Amino acid sequence: EAQVTQNPRYLITVTGKKLTVTCSQNMNHEYMSWYRQDPGLGLRQIYYSMNVEVTDKGDVPEGYKVSRKEKRNFPLILESPSPNQTSLYFCASSGRLVLNEQFFGPGTRLTVL
Amino acid sequence: AQTVTQSQPEMSVQEAETVTLSCTYDTSESDYYLFWYKQPPSRQMILVIRQEAYKQQNATENRFSVNFQKAAKSFSLKISDSQLGDAAMYFCAYRSENGNEKLTFGTGTRLTIIP
């Protein structure tokens, strides 16, 4: 089954404790992206990757890091989480065709205390 | 930068009736793509319908159709014969033809279906 998986689905942590949210897709997609969803703001892009070893900032990259060492994986790293990073996070991927649908993961609910 | 505006935070409709969700956007580009996504309580993002800006014909997917007005930069979603399973948050999204495949989302409209 074609899918994007994220782990963990739920995470409660404390300020300053480094964490990683994993994202993996099994569709051989070149493009992957991270979004955060906040009430009243919709979804906003954090980082994206056009292919292996090619990453770039989205609209709200502060406080986040990413890496793309393998085509299928695109982890999101919070080196020192803060309460304002409490949010719902989505990973998405798509192939090269112009109007290819972006497939979204199931979301990760992160709470930073 | 492109912006997407959904001016209706909440909407409700009687089951089996028709409802229209509004979306406007701002862009200086001539070629782009527009989408409607549905987010049910499960939080999964589900693509409902998409429209290429160069196509004049409005997209249709079963009970879902759009009214795309390029000059007015308007992209509304019509849901016909509303069903209980249509209850969800609906997001309008814009994607440029060039560069980053970023989706720029509106703030969403929460749709309630009244039995």
Side-chain angles (χ1 to χ4, degrees):
Chain A
E1 179 189 356
Q3 61 181 349
V4 178
T5 57
Q6 293 179 228
N7 282 292
R9 296 287 312 278
Y10 301 89
L11 179 61
I12 301 175
T13 189
V14 295
T15 299
K17 185 176 182 182
K18 180 179 178 179
L19 66 93
T20 300
V21 184
T22 64
C23 173
S24 183
Q25 49 94 4
N26 63 0
M27 296 166 280
N28 201 36
H29 284 165
E30 290 81 10
Y31 178 86
M32 297 185 75
S33 180
W34 277 101
Y35 295 86
R36 62 177 287 173
Q37 181 180 358
D38 301 291
L41 296 177
L43 284 79
R44 295 175 293 166
Q45 190 186 55
I46 303 170
Y47 267 95
Y48 68 96
S49 170
M50 300 294 279
N51 214 325
V52 176
E53 301 292 0
V54 181
T55 64
D56 206 347
K57 298 177 181 178
D59 294 326
V60 287
E62 293 77 21
Y64 304 95
K65 286 176 56 178
V66 293
S67 68
R68 187 92 181 272
K69 300 188 186 307
E70 303 169 286
K71 197 172 187 179
R72 64 183 292 126
N73 296 323
F74 189 46
L76 179 69
I77 303 158
L78 285 71
E79 294 267 1
S80 182
S82 61
N84 64 13
Q85 293 179 296
T86 292
S87 188
L88 177 59
Y89 291 87
F90 286 98
C91 180
S93 74
S94 65
R96 280 201 181 277
L97 293 179
V98 171
L99 205 52
N100 250 5
E101 176 182 350
Q102 281 199 27
F103 289 81
F104 282 82
T108 295
R109 169 70 70 186
L110 172 65
T111 301
V112 183
L113 301 175
Chain B
Q2 295 81 21
T3 58
V4 177
T5 302
Q6 294 178 251
S7 58
Q8 307 154 316
E10 296 182 349
M11 292 279 286
S12 60
V13 63
Q14 205 80 28
E15 191 176 2
E17 296 296 310
T18 295
V19 64
T20 299
L21 308 184
S22 301
C23 173
T24 59
Y25 57 94
D26 187 28
T27 184
S28 58
E29 299 177 327
S30 57
D31 294 319
Y32 48 87
Y33 308 93
L34 297 165
F35 305 85
W36 279 98
Y37 280 86
K38 170 185 178 181
Q39 187 179 47
S42 67
R43 301 193 317 236
Q44 182 69 45
M45 294 294 287
I46 302 166
L47 179 64
V48 174
I49 199 166
R50 59 187 144 205
Q51 174 82 42
E52 298 100 308
Y54 65 85
K55 288 187 176 179
Q56 292 187 336
Q57 186 173 5
N58 290 324
T60 299
E61 290 286 345
N62 300 314
R63 298 183 295 106
F64 298 87
S65 61
V66 297
N67 183 5
F68 173 49
Q69 301 288 328
K70 190 172 184 180
K73 296 179 182 174
S74 171
F75 183 61
S76 60
L77 174 69
K78 186 171 82 171
I79 306 174
S80 304
D81 185 26
S82 298
Q83 301 175 0
L84 294 177
D86 295 334
M89 182 73 88
Y90 285 82
F91 290 98
C92 179
Y94 172 104
R95 204 196 92 187
S96 173
E97 187 188 52
N98 302 308
N100 179 6
E101 293 185 27
K102 177 181 76 173
L103 292 167
T104 299
F105 287 87
T107 52
T109 296
R110 183 170 301 282
L111 179 64
T112 301
I113 310 297
I114 303 167

